[in-house]
Amino acid sequence: DIRLTQSPSFLSASVGDRVTITCRASQVIYNLLAWYQQKPGIAPKLLISPSSTYQGGVPSRFSGSGSGTEFTLTISSLQPEDFATYYCQQLNSYPITFGQGTRLEI
Amino acid sequence: QVQLQESGPGLVKPSETLSLTCTVSTDSIRDYYWTWFRQPADKRLEWVGRVYPTGETNYNSSLESRVTLSLDMSRNHFSLKLTSVTAADTAVYYCGGGRQFVGTEFWGQGTLVTVSA
């Protein structure tokens, strides 16, 4: 199975900050990585898809980059509604796997 | 917008079979693949398996001997069966849908299944 490791696991930030979360894969997954946001008690929400093919009304302050084994999610200017847990997910091979999550707190 | 709704028992006894259904709000069941996930309390998401409109399935190898996914287009729903459950199968179960190499675009609200006598 492909192992995804996110860093950091916890992140404390303020409204208006720029934050970056990293996801490293245990083997090459090309660009086949997605990012999700999850708030307590609510299903995850797709933020970023490979090649940015998902156009689900996600604010432009969210952006993703990377390929191979290292990927980043950047939030350019944190808003109050962005405080949540973020997960990366690889779509390259079965079983589909997730990172352990990054909890973003005020 | 596609909406999903999980249904099924919230409590299952050890060694019995967990059965959940996900109802899809539109005829879009033909247009996407359909996936089950689960999430134990305070843990990461786990991919359980996927079923395609063709009926083809892929399962997480860690569950493969116990899991079956199926699709019923006439009823606009897909289902999960997990046999021989233990306390380790206690989790919030989510159904989802999406396109290949895009990710899961649509999610149910999740349903908590507890395995306990």
Side-chain angles (χ1 to χ4, degrees):
Chain A
D1 298 2
I2 295 176
R3 181 174 179 84
L4 298 179
T5 303
Q6 291 180 230
S7 59
S9 294
F10 298 94
L11 180 58
S12 182
S14 300
V15 172
D17 284 354
R18 177 184 180 91
V19 300
T20 298
I21 300 168
T22 298
C23 179
R24 290 186 174 86
S26 59
Q27 61 191 75
V28 170
I29 59 171
Y30 307 98
N31 70 332
L32 296 174
L33 190 99
W35 289 96
Y36 296 84
Q37 177 193 68
Q38 187 178 31
K39 297 181 179 179
I42 298 176
K45 174 185 175 182
L46 179 62
L47 292 177
I48 303 290
S49 64
S51 304
S52 300
T53 49
Y54 179 65
Q55 303 292 333
V58 176
S60 59
R61 62 181 180 274
F62 292 94
S63 63
S65 64
S67 65
T69 61
E70 188 156 332
F71 301 83
T72 59
L73 172 70
T74 299
I75 310 173
S76 60
S77 177
L78 275 174
Q79 299 302 300
E81 61 268 28
D82 299 337
F83 292 94
T85 298
Y86 293 84
Y87 292 96
C88 57
Q89 177 200 44
Q90 65 83 18
L91 303 172
N92 181 69
S93 61
Y94 295 119
I96 304 297
T97 50
F98 289 86
Q100 83 278 16
T102 294
R103 185 170 174 179
L104 177 54
E105 297 179 333
I106 299 174
Chain B
Q1 178 74 346
V2 177
Q3 294 184 321
L4 306 178
Q5 177 73 53
E6 302 95 347
S7 58
L11 181 65
V12 182
K13 290 183 168 55
S15 80
E16 295 191 345
T17 296
L18 180 160
S19 295
L20 295 174
T21 294
C22 183
T23 301
V24 182
S25 62
T26 72
D27 287 340
S28 296
I29 197 162
R30 290 172 172 77
D31 300 329
Y32 300 96
Y33 64 73
W34 305 100
T35 305
W36 287 96
F37 302 91
R38 66 182 187 177
Q39 187 173 35
D42 297 323
K43 293 190 176 179
R44 76 176 74 188
L45 291 152
E46 180 180 27
W47 181 84
V48 174
R50 173 178 293 173
V51 58
Y52 291 87
T54 58
E56 181 185 352
T57 55
N58 295 106
Y59 299 128
N60 192 322
S61 53
S62 67
L63 301 170
E64 191 161 14
S65 62
R66 300 193 291 131
V67 67
T68 303
L69 302 190
S70 60
L71 183 74
D72 187 337
M73 288 193 187
S74 66
R75 296 183 180 183
N76 275 4
H77 74 213
F78 59 103
S79 301
L80 162 69
K81 290 189 186 301
L82 183 66
T83 62
S84 305
V85 297
T86 69
D89 296 309
T90 294
V92 175
Y93 285 75
Y94 293 101
C95 61
R99 292 169 285 164
Q100 189 77 348
F101 304 130
V102 173
T104 302
E105 303 169 69
F106 317 113
W107 292 78
Q109 84 279 9
T111 186
L112 174 63
V113 179
T114 301
V115 178
S116 174

